[in-house]
Amino acid sequence: MLMPVPCAGQQCPFNGPMTDIDTQTAQLSAILDRRLAIKGPAFADQIRRAVRLLPRHLRPQAQLVQQAVDLGGQPRALRQLDEARVARACEELSVYFEGLDLAQMRRTRILSVLAAIVFNLLVVFTALVVFLRVYGYI
């Protein structure tokens, strides 16, 4: 499910040796880019946009991963986080994002907007008929 990242365990040209958290967030970033077309210059921007797609029970996991990314350049501060918990959060997020169907989400959004428009038209039409009835035009 998670794809290998080219500089995992090696000297990465961006910011030194890559840690497991960097590898997992790079894979999560690739999933967001590939499956949901959420692009951004940094993982922080991608996860900020993707949080609105998450159910409430997964939002703390996204915040935990974001916190781990923020602390990524500081090895002492990174030790404060439970690496297993961060890995589990990355896995849960990647499983959720892999399971999303972008086309189904688009159809649902369009149907919701159409349903709201039809409901509003029905209310306006009903109010118009009541108005005409009360004032004796019908």
Side-chain angles (χ1 to χ4, degrees), residues 52-63:
R52 64 184 175 82
L53 300 174
L54 289 173
R56 289 189 191 269
H57 73 277
L58 285 178
R59 289 180 186 175
Q61 277 86 339
Q63 290 174 346

Side-chain angles (χ1 to χ4, degrees), residues 60-103:
Q61 277 86 339
Q63 290 174 346
L64 178 67
V65 171
Q66 180 60 43
Q67 182 182 11
V69 169
D70 291 342
L71 296 176
Q74 306 168 9
R76 284 188 179 178
L78 194 57
R79 283 188 232 149
Q80 296 174 358
L81 294 176
D82 183 14
E83 193 170 332
R85 190 169 159 224
V86 173
R88 192 170 47 250
C90 280
E91 181 65 28
E92 288 177 11
L93 290 172
S94 64
V95 166
Y96 179 77
F97 285 131
E98 282 286 345
L100 286 180
D101 184 11
L102 199 57

Side-chain angles (χ1 to χ4, degrees), residues 8-24:
Q10 304 169 1
Q11 183 73 15
C12 192
F14 306 112
N15 60 357
M18 227 168 156
T19 63
D20 280 344
I21 293 172
D22 292 335
T23 304
Q24 292 168 343

